[in-house]
Amino acid sequence: MTRHRDTSATPYRRLNEPHRLDLADPATLRQLWELQRAAYAVEAALIGFDGIPPLHETLQEFRGCTESFLGIADDTGLAGAVSWTRLDDGTLDICRLVVHPRAHRRGIATALLDRLDAIESADLTLVSTGTANHPALALYQRRGFTPTGKRQIAPGVTVTLLERRTDAPPNGLSVHKS
């Protein structure tokens, strides 16, 4: 287990390593569903739109999800998760990246994405997030993702589409090839 600084009244909370989540386990499914609802409520406030589909997904709908998941827990429970699918052409599509509000600014999203990069290499990785979700956009851009467009999801609300190719390293630093 590693320790990460926390900004709450408790100076540190233990984090475990990211691990695969089994949605067939009812307790895991419920924890993940509750985590997603808490995380997307924060994004809804950031982007000024509460119609984010996962925010309104029922437990039954979530149970039918075909995405793969990694999660990370702290002493309180599931603190973050990332999900993805592999498209027919080999592209990795990051579907959800959620961090519980109690665990913001502790490196959880970075740890999840680092682990995902380690276990699921791809020539092309796609992700999208609310255009007004500046913390998420900054995270993805630090990891080498570049915006490729925007899509309107409601009047005045857009999501930014991003991609990363293998020649762009995950930390966003340039690499000199010999």
Side-chain angles (χ1 to χ4, degrees):
M1 293 184 132
T2 57
R3 294 171 75 86
H4 294 268
R5 208 168 238 316
D6 183 7
T7 56
S8 69
T10 307
Y12 293 97
R13 285 201 180 152
R14 292 173 121 18
L15 292 177
N16 69 14
E17 295 299 319
H19 58 279
R20 289 201 184 252
L21 298 176
D22 179 7
L23 272 60
D25 174 60
T28 299
L29 179 71
R30 178 160 291 280
Q31 284 179 35
L32 187 52
W33 181 70
E34 289 172 355
L35 164 65
Q36 147 174 305
R37 292 174 58 82
Y40 281 116
V42 171
E43 183 169 21
L46 283 172
I47 69 172
F49 177 67
D50 69 355
I52 301 169
L55 186 58
H56 301 286
E57 191 172 42
T58 67
L59 189 59
Q60 184 65 25
E61 290 168 333
F62 190 51
R63 181 177 290 118
C65 172
T66 59
E67 299 156 25
S68 298
F69 283 84
L70 287 173
I72 191 167
D74 62 15
D75 293 338
T76 306
L78 195 58
V82 62
S83 76
W84 69 95
T85 60
R86 185 67 72 164
L87 304 180
D88 290 339
D89 66 359
T91 298
L92 186 70
D93 187 7
I94 298 173
C95 304
R96 309 167 201 239
L97 177 60
V98 292
V99 176
H100 197 284
R102 74 167 186 277
H104 284 176
R105 312 283 308 156
R106 291 176 45 209
I108 290 172
T110 296
L112 288 163
L113 292 171
D114 285 349
R115 182 68 180 141
L116 180 58
D117 285 342
I119 65 171
E120 292 286 338
S121 63
D123 290 338
L124 177 62
T125 304
L126 305 175
V127 70
S128 64
T129 191
T131 302
N133 187 343
H134 301 293
L137 284 172
L139 170 70
Y140 292 128
Q141 289 177 325
R142 281 193 308 271
R143 299 188 64 81
F145 285 85
T146 56
T148 59
K150 293 182 182 177
R151 183 170 34 96
Q152 183 171 330
I153 58 171
V157 181
T158 61
V159 294
T160 298
L161 311 172
L162 302 107
E163 71 175 31
R164 184 182 69 202
R165 300 200 174 267
T166 53
D167 58 354
N171 63 4
L173 299 176
S174 62
V175 174
H176 300 290
K177 295 186 180 187
S178 315

